[in-house]
Amino acid sequence: MKDLNDGGVLVVGCGRMGGALLDGWIAQGLRPASLWIEDPHPGDRLLALAAQGAHVNAPRPARPAVVLLAVKPQMMAGVLAGLAALPADVPVLSVAAGVSLQQYGAVLGDRPIIRAMPNTPALVGRGMTAIIGNAHAGPGHLALAVRMFSAVGEVVALEAEVQIDAVTAISGSGPAYLFLFAEALEQAARGLGLPEALARRLARGTVGGAAELMVASGRDAAELRHEVTSPGGTTAAGLAVLMRPDGLSELVAGAAEAARDRSVALGR
């Protein structure tokens, strides 16, 4: 974090994702005094950081090491206009959905710009972030982005910006799909006669534990499924319903396509 501590990090917008990144960076050694944070409604967390030396809604540094844009897409136009005067070698990272590299470049000029698509498990350090840079973002800039987003989980590099829409549909929206499955499992438990508190505890513990097992084992999901499915047993009976031609796989594929198409439409 020495280069970031020396140059400073400008964070524009500090909602849940921006806050998660701040926590991750500070845990890895970024000093609060090296942070310049702009947010129209600073909460207790930002005020606490200000007491530790962070510059909250203060004049910007002349040449920060990096800029993070974490504002809503509809606010981006006004934000970008205010950043155009920054030196052209200052890299800009953005977590805003639906704003293309071309749109950023039209306002910010020929500078390194990297789009990132993190997801909400970043709030607990288990995020999945995909990144893609423009033609001016070299290996060093991409390595910087990987280092910064690794503070809240895993990072993958995309080959082309068009892949962002598919990533949005899978890792971006994927946590909501999993939460819905946990809801459905809880409802099924209640339908089988279990009390509400027990149904919730079983559903959440099962979904969370299974996810941890899959990640920790590093094994293929299908392999793990086969391992816990005894021929003719209870799990096989349940899977026979979920794996019908119009079952879970088909529903998930349809959901992902709908999310991808919506991401494309928003980008336009």
Side-chain angles (χ1 to χ4, degrees):
M1 286 289 174
K2 184 179 184 305
D3 53 338
L4 299 181
N5 277 321
D6 291 344
V9 178
L10 172 60
V11 179
V12 184
C14 196
R16 296 176 71 201
M17 188 58 65
L21 287 164
L22 288 182
D23 289 342
W25 299 338
I26 291 171
Q28 292 193 352
L30 184 65
R31 296 190 302 264
S34 297
L35 285 166
W36 276 259
I37 307 165
E38 299 180 1
D39 192 274
H41 306 290
D44 291 343
R45 174 60 174 142
L46 291 190
L47 295 178
L49 284 176
Q52 299 173 46
H55 310 269
V56 178
N57 293 330
R60 294 171 175 170
R63 184 186 292 272
V66 64
V67 177
L68 174 76
L69 303 180
V71 300
K72 296 184 183 301
Q74 57 267 33
M75 301 171 58
M76 189 62 73
V79 168
L80 293 181
L83 294 172
L86 284 174
D89 60 344
V90 174
V92 173
L93 314 182
S94 175
V95 299
V99 184
S100 70
L101 291 171
Q102 182 180 12
Q103 289 172 305
Y104 286 119
V107 181
L108 298 178
D110 296 337
R111 73 171 66 244
I113 301 170
I114 296 173
R115 288 184 65 186
M117 176 55 64
N119 62 5
T120 52
L123 299 174
V124 293
R126 292 300 305 273
M128 178 62 71
T129 303
I131 61 171
I132 183 70
N134 66 357
H136 304 285
H141 302 114
L142 292 173
L144 172 64
V146 169
R147 182 154 50 97
M148 295 184 74
F149 286 102
S150 291
V152 293
E154 292 187 57
V155 182
V156 296
L158 303 181
E159 296 176 354
E161 188 177 12
V162 68
Q163 294 176 318
I164 280 278
D165 296 311
V167 168
T168 299
I170 301 303
S171 60
S173 299
Y177 308 156
L178 191 64
F179 300 151
L180 177 61
F181 184 81
E183 282 183 69
L185 199 59
E186 180 183 334
Q187 291 170 3
R190 294 202 303 269
L192 293 175
L194 295 178
E196 182 176 348
L198 178 58
R200 174 169 296 186
R201 185 174 180 183
L202 287 172
R204 291 187 175 192
T206 300
V207 171
E212 284 286 348
L213 172 62
M214 183 173 62
V215 172
S217 71
R219 294 164 62 190
D220 186 77
E223 181 183 355
L224 292 171
R225 172 172 56 81
H226 285 298
E227 193 172 85
V228 299
T229 307
S230 301
T234 58
T235 304
L239 288 174
V241 176
L242 292 174
M243 297 177 71
R244 290 171 179 167
D246 60 346
L248 184 62
S249 294
E250 187 71 17
L251 288 172
V252 172
E257 289 177 5
R260 187 270 320 276
D261 293 347
R262 182 58 177 159
S263 179
V264 171
L266 289 173
R268 291 173 181 161

